[in-house]
Amino acid sequence: MSSTAKYYHFGLGNGIKRCASIFSLDDEVKIAIGIDGMPLSKFTSSQFWPILAYVQPHHKYVFPVGLYHGYEKPKDSNEFLQDFISEILELTENGITIANLKIKIKIQVICSDVPAKSFIMRIKGHSGFSSCTRCVHEGEYCNNRVNYTVTYIDNGSENRIHDDYVCIKAEEHHILTTISCISLIPDIDIISLFSMDYMHLVCLGTMKKLINLWIKGPLNTRLPS
């Protein structure tokens, strides 16, 4: 981490304890995590990379777990996540005690947009070949972009699996020789742990292309006025 970058760890356990004062907790708490970068100004490169969380299903009560500030994105995702993962390993092994009740902690899902997901998982970005995080299709270069035209089929042989990610079986999918420290979390499947990015896949992906075709595309695809 550069000399100008700062990271502060608020703590997942501290956030869960605050939630316990708002609503009751079960003996097993399922946590949703959100990680992304956000610019602070149009005129400088100053940016935040927050790690946020909420106890499912109480999505209205989001609390900070960690916060990075710098003038560029974190150089190393594992260094950025180091304090977070250390605490997760402690909580998943020993749980957390609140009001004499020992509560088990489980990371249920991590939500990130596609660029942040690639950064965290240390894999190719969405515009590269073999970049799909769910299947092993390489993709095809067509019309100045990489397309995944083969239908995704849940038949096992075409899916990426957790063990293959850990062993870096598909080297063309990875950009580094080390994997994400998130894979250290016990009892997770890193392939399905990350949610799909609705904004990029649908709103800025399929829907944007359809609207352009309907408004500015060839005459046979345009909607009448």
Side-chain angles (χ1 to χ4, degrees):
M1 195 173 294
S2 68
S3 58
T4 58
K6 304 292 183 183
Y7 176 83
Y8 184 81
H9 191 69
F10 297 92
L12 177 61
N14 291 333
I16 295 173
K17 288 178 180 178
R18 288 195 298 272
C19 288
S21 65
I22 302 172
F23 48 80
S24 60
L25 300 177
D26 297 328
D27 56 1
E28 181 180 70
V29 167
K30 296 179 180 179
I31 302 294
I33 301 292
I35 306 174
D36 200 2
M38 54 181 294
L40 297 180
S41 170
K42 293 182 179 180
F43 308 104
T44 71
S45 57
S46 178
Q47 56 188 279
F48 275 153
W49 276 77
I51 303 174
L52 306 174
Y54 69 84
V55 176
Q56 292 189 328
H58 307 282
H59 60 271
K60 293 183 179 180
Y61 299 96
V62 177
F63 56 87
V65 176
L67 182 63
Y68 166 95
H69 174 262
Y71 291 90
E72 59 183 359
K73 69 187 292 185
K75 292 184 180 297
D76 187 290
S77 59
N78 281 351
E79 184 180 357
F80 164 58
L81 295 170
Q82 182 178 357
D83 291 341
F84 170 62
I85 295 299
S86 295
E87 186 184 15
I88 289 295
L89 295 178
E90 169 70 20
L91 290 174
T92 53
E93 180 178 356
N94 301 318
I96 185 173
T97 301
I98 301 176
N100 297 322
L101 175 64
K102 189 171 183 179
I103 297 173
K104 184 178 179 181
I105 306 298
K106 180 178 177 60
I107 303 301
Q108 185 78 1
V109 64
I110 297 179
C111 303
S112 296
D113 66 7
V114 173
K117 180 180 179 180
S118 301
F119 168 65
I120 294 166
M121 292 187 68
R122 303 162 83 87
I123 58 175
K124 287 186 176 180
H126 60 282
S127 60
F129 291 102
S130 301
S131 63
C132 180
T133 58
R134 296 296 175 93
C135 72
V136 299
H137 294 305
E138 182 180 349
E140 301 174 357
Y141 191 78
C142 179
N143 296 326
N144 300 318
R145 60 178 58 89
V146 176
N147 295 299
Y148 289 85
T149 55
V150 180
T151 303
Y152 176 77
I153 302 173
D154 189 16
N155 60 10
S157 62
E158 297 292 340
N159 298 347
R160 296 197 187 278
I161 61 175
H162 176 84
D163 290 344
D164 288 349
Y165 172 85
V166 172
C167 297
I168 315 183
K169 182 177 179 180
E171 294 183 3
E172 67 279 1
H173 182 55
H174 298 255
I175 59 174
L176 297 170
T177 56
T178 55
I179 60 175
S180 172
C181 57
I182 286 177
S183 61
L184 296 174
I185 301 174
D187 302 322
I188 60 109
D189 179 347
I190 197 168
I191 304 303
S192 60
L193 180 66
F194 285 83
S195 62
M196 303 302 285
D197 179 10
Y198 176 80
M199 180 180 72
H200 279 86
L201 290 173
V202 178
C203 300
L204 298 179
T206 305
M207 203 64 224
K208 182 178 179 180
K209 291 181 175 64
L210 287 173
I211 291 173
N212 283 331
L213 282 172
W214 292 335
I215 297 176
K216 299 179 181 180
L219 291 177
N220 63 339
T221 67
R222 291 188 197 179
L223 294 174
S225 57

